[in-house]
Amino acid sequence: MRSKTDICGIGAVTAYGWGRESLWEGLASGVPSPQFTEGFGETPELPGWVGHIAEGGRRQDGNLHGRALLAAAREAIEDASTRGWSPGRRVGVISGGVREDLRTWDRLTGLGEELMYRREFIGMMPSTPICALMSEFGFHGPSMATSAMCATGSAAVLTAKMWLDAGMADDVVVVTTDLSATRTMVRNFVHCGVAITDAPPLEACRPFQEGTRGFTFSEAAVAVVLTQRKTDAYATVRGGAMAHEAHNAMALDPDATTAIAAVADALENADAAPGDVRYLNAHGTGTKLCHRSESRILDTVFPRSTEIYSIKPLTGHSQSGSALTEIAATCLAAQRDLVPAPKPVADGHPQLMGGPSRPESGLTVKTSIGMGGYVTAVVLDTA
């Protein structure tokens, strides 16, 4: 018999600022976090729209990637502690990412034959901030790094739940970090036809609306604490599912059968019916392929009473940081009594939310779709 798995702590560093309050205040304002930034236009001399994490954090934590990761994790752990959580004997850590720290890697490759300082070089390794986190808090549970491209956060949360259900850990800290918004990376995503830098986020990224062009690139480090012991929790992870389309490295399967089945499997795993779901918190990148797949999921699986929204017009798309950002937003929305759905700017799907609103009772399904075919769905109960 699986036990109730709760999210009881949240930490965040995003393009809105350092701390979950900065994330929430940004979402509640309805103002996008990306800025018109020098060097991110069509040529290096032109500006473009992108969302960067600003400098901050503890200097002793190393580079900005390590500082952001550790700041988010510490905030989540402190938050959980104020909500009645105390660490069990085996606290596990799952770190998620894809191209986590391209800023420092660019510096390394630019050195040529010159050697980097050893401390800085070791700090680039994904294991270094996790080792620092485990050492700082005395955690000795299982630890691993995971990647499912843009679905990384959802996959990590479901993996953490499996650890808890299997008795492999007493609690799990999940943290996903992506600081990959370098000019080279952003330009190549623009070249692929999915990222947009030449228009403001609300103009470019219009999930489930006419005229959408794609997403604005951004960065994020977000952490949550999961436990099966009693706390003042934000939400319960009822269940979920993971699948792979096995179709194409770039394009989503136009058939969408696998994605639809993954969401149906998630509901079955969560012992929930489609009619129990009030909101579909979509991956919602604003690309035409994502629009097609998630619209088919909504139309095929859910009743007319289920509304859909995406916060990517506000946060931008932080790649491997995006799914956990959106799970955190769902949790905060329930606590603050506001679903921070962006106000539509064009005609769209009839079930698209019309803007921010007070949450109504029912479950939220968080869908995430990663480049290469990763599909995840997490069922959240915020009651």
Side-chain angles (χ1 to χ4, degrees):
M1 180 72 175
R2 292 175 299 173
S3 300
K4 184 169 173 276
T5 300
D6 290 336
I7 295 173
C8 64
I10 297 173
V13 179
T14 68
Y16 278 123
W18 289 67
R20 67 178 173 277
E21 289 304 317
S22 294
L23 170 61
W24 177 253
E25 289 169 7
L27 290 171
S29 75
V31 177
S33 63
Q35 302 291 318
F36 204 40
T37 306
E38 292 297 327
F40 281 83
E42 187 175 346
T43 66
E45 296 76 30
L46 294 175
W49 292 93
V50 66
H52 285 129
I53 287 177
E55 284 291 331
R58 300 180 186 177
R59 184 177 179 183
Q60 62 267 32
D61 289 339
N63 58 35
L64 185 59
H65 170 267
R67 282 180 269 145
L69 185 157
L70 288 167
R74 288 187 189 114
E75 186 181 33
I77 291 166
E78 180 182 355
D79 185 32
S81 298
T82 66
R83 292 175 166 273
W85 175 77
S86 58
R89 183 174 65 85
R90 298 164 304 167
V91 179
V93 173
I94 298 178
S95 172
V98 179
R99 301 164 304 275
E100 301 176 52
D101 185 23
L102 287 188
R103 299 185 189 189
T104 312
W105 281 104
D106 282 356
R107 172 171 147 64
L108 176 65
T109 55
L111 289 174
E113 289 296 303
E114 182 183 349
L115 292 173
M116 182 178 273
Y117 287 115
R118 282 179 293 181
R119 183 181 178 87
E120 185 179 9
F121 176 71
I122 295 301
M124 293 170 54
M125 303 300 113
S127 56
T128 298
I130 300 306
C131 178
L133 177 65
M134 301 290 277
S135 298
E136 179 177 340
F137 290 96
F139 295 160
H140 295 285
S143 179
M144 65 177 286
T146 185
S147 175
M149 296 302 287
C150 309
T152 293
S154 293
V157 164
L158 292 176
T159 301
K161 186 178 187 307
M162 287 190 284
W163 283 5
L164 293 168
D165 287 340
M168 295 176 62
D170 301 307
D171 315 281
V172 184
V173 178
V174 174
V175 56
T176 61
T177 315
D178 197 301
L179 274 75
S180 64
T182 64
R183 173 169 169 76
T184 300
M185 181 60 63
V186 174
R187 280 190 69 222
N188 277 278
F189 269 91
V190 172
H191 181 63
C192 289
V194 291
I196 307 297
T197 61
D198 64 359
L202 294 178
E203 287 184 23
C205 186
R206 305 177 181 182
F208 314 104
Q209 300 168 66
E210 293 180 2
T212 188
R213 295 174 58 198
F215 59 80
T216 308
F217 214 100
S218 67
E219 298 177 328
V222 180
V224 296
V225 177
L226 291 95
T227 189
Q228 292 186 338
R229 289 174 290 136
K230 185 174 178 56
T231 63
D232 179 15
Y234 285 100
T236 297
V237 181
R238 287 272 296 265
M242 294 182 275
H244 198 285
E245 290 192 321
H247 172 69
N248 185 276
M250 183 71 181
L252 300 178
D253 190 341
D255 183 77
T257 298
T258 300
I260 291 167
V263 175
D265 288 346
L267 292 173
E268 181 178 359
N269 179 259
D271 193 23
D276 298 333
V277 178
R278 185 65 185 84
Y279 301 106
L280 179 58
N281 181 338
H283 187 57
T285 57
T287 62
K288 290 179 173 58
L289 293 177
C290 188
H291 169 91
R292 181 185 63 198
S293 289
E294 291 194 294
S295 293
R296 287 203 58 198
I297 290 170
L298 180 63
D299 296 340
T300 305
V301 177
F302 296 104
R304 289 284 184 178
S305 57
T306 301
E307 292 186 283
I308 192 170
Y309 72 99
S310 166
I311 63 171
K312 283 190 174 67
L314 301 177
T315 61
H317 188 2
S318 57
Q319 309 301 301
S320 56
S322 62
L324 204 56
T325 301
E326 290 150 17
I327 288 173
T330 297
C331 294
L332 293 172
Q335 291 284 309
R336 309 305 169 89
D337 202 30
L338 179 72
V339 179
K343 187 174 178 59
V345 297
D347 291 338
H349 194 285
Q351 288 166 256
L352 178 66
M353 290 187 68
S357 67
R358 295 188 64 181
E360 297 184 2
S361 61
L363 304 177
T364 295
V365 169
K366 169 72 209 127
T367 48
S368 300
I369 301 174
M371 180 186 294
Y374 298 93
V375 179
T376 62
V378 178
V379 182
L380 299 167
D381 186 351
T382 57

